[in-house]
Amino acid sequence: MKTRLFLTALCAIPFSASADTSDWLRSISELSAGDTTWVMVATILVLFMTIPGLALFYGGMVRKKNVLATMMGSFASCCLIALIWVIFGYSLAFTPNNGFIGGTERLFLQGLDLFSAEGKLSIYPGAPTIPESVFMLFQMAFAIIAGAIITGAFAERMKFSALLTFVGLWSALIYVPTAHWVWGLDGWLASDGVLDYAGGTVIHINAGIAGLVAAMMIGRRVGYGREVMMPHNLVLTLIGTAMLWIGWFGFNAGSALAADARAGMALATTQVAAVAAAFTWTIIEVILGHKPSALGLASGAIAGLVGITPAAGFVSVQSALFIGVITSAICFVSATKLKYWLGYDDTLDAFGIHGVGGIVGAVLTGVFVSTDISGTDTTLWIQTQSVIITVIYSTIGSFILLKLIDKTIGLRVEYEDERKGLDLVLHGERVE
């Protein structure tokens, strides 16, 4: 039975859900050196976004007593999620089984081998010109940054053990199924026509919502709203922003899974959205009577990059400019107003920028999608449905996981430990 393949929502490819191993093998001579090289570079760029990019971006915004613990969240998440991906994550996300979860053909990455005797290599059917090992690592880097993004929402107050437990369970039970729904060979949202070029729904909405739930359940930081909690080193944040920005070209353009025209278009739309969003945030600050801030410029750039992610290979550069401006303006309100109106403490705006930006970007993909560029189309309602489904699943799933963790090992450090700082209390180290 044929099913429509939406790998990063690129195109429709006939594929048999009951195919045997031979369908995953291709002659080595059929590989493209250019495509393989580009996706390998893109994989490195996406991993670079988490370590050190996101680690520095987050680390510079917290107080000095928590900088190492905050950066540890990104580094430890990288290690844990990579292991999960090797053991079962990749298999359950990307092998065919049914519309809701993948199969077991690649548990512990079995079958991901070079068949030198036959001169054949395992190939993921949605990426026929690169080795499956490269595709697997590219998707691993996506899973890693999704889990690491969440840690910014509850920075400065969660136990390290609780952080690892939540990120690990969330990756296995929330991220993996969602990735299969949208990007899998037989994913049900892909079959419905949902477009998510590089992870607006799967990564940013998913992680942002989980971060919001965690921030609300764990409660606000000690002294929040009464004490000044200034970032300790915005130089680190700007360096991290630059690394994220550069890495994002691998994130979006790499999702073409080939060195082709679509990759080039994704590269261009990514840059245009980022610069438009960065300046939009700064202009809003000035209009409201504030000085143009380094943190604002960095936040605007990240908002634009998040907003263009689901649309990067489906829209024109002109549309990318509008997506950047709109996403930045809405994220500005979310990060500077909404969390204070509603009273939750999203420490580093994981929800305010990633969650909200992902929602805006996913919806705007349905508004600005170009059939001439994408070769496919979607509707505003289909995109909105995907947002609603992801929000509901991530909210309920994250709540259950956090409640279980709180009832067993506990989520939050003690009051006095939070006052001392997590670097010394959790890791026995501190920055002088």
Side-chain angles (χ1 to χ4, degrees), residues 280-290:
T280 297
W281 196 292
T282 300
I283 290 169
I284 293 173
E285 286 183 322
V286 173
I287 290 173
L288 295 179
H290 306 298

Side-chain angles (χ1 to χ4, degrees), residues 315 319 323 326 360-370 378-381 383:
V315 301
S319 296
I323 290 173
I326 295 168
V360 174
V363 172
L364 291 181
T365 300
V367 175
F368 291 108
V369 62
S370 168
T378 186
T379 67
L380 181 58
W381 174 236
Q383 292 301 110

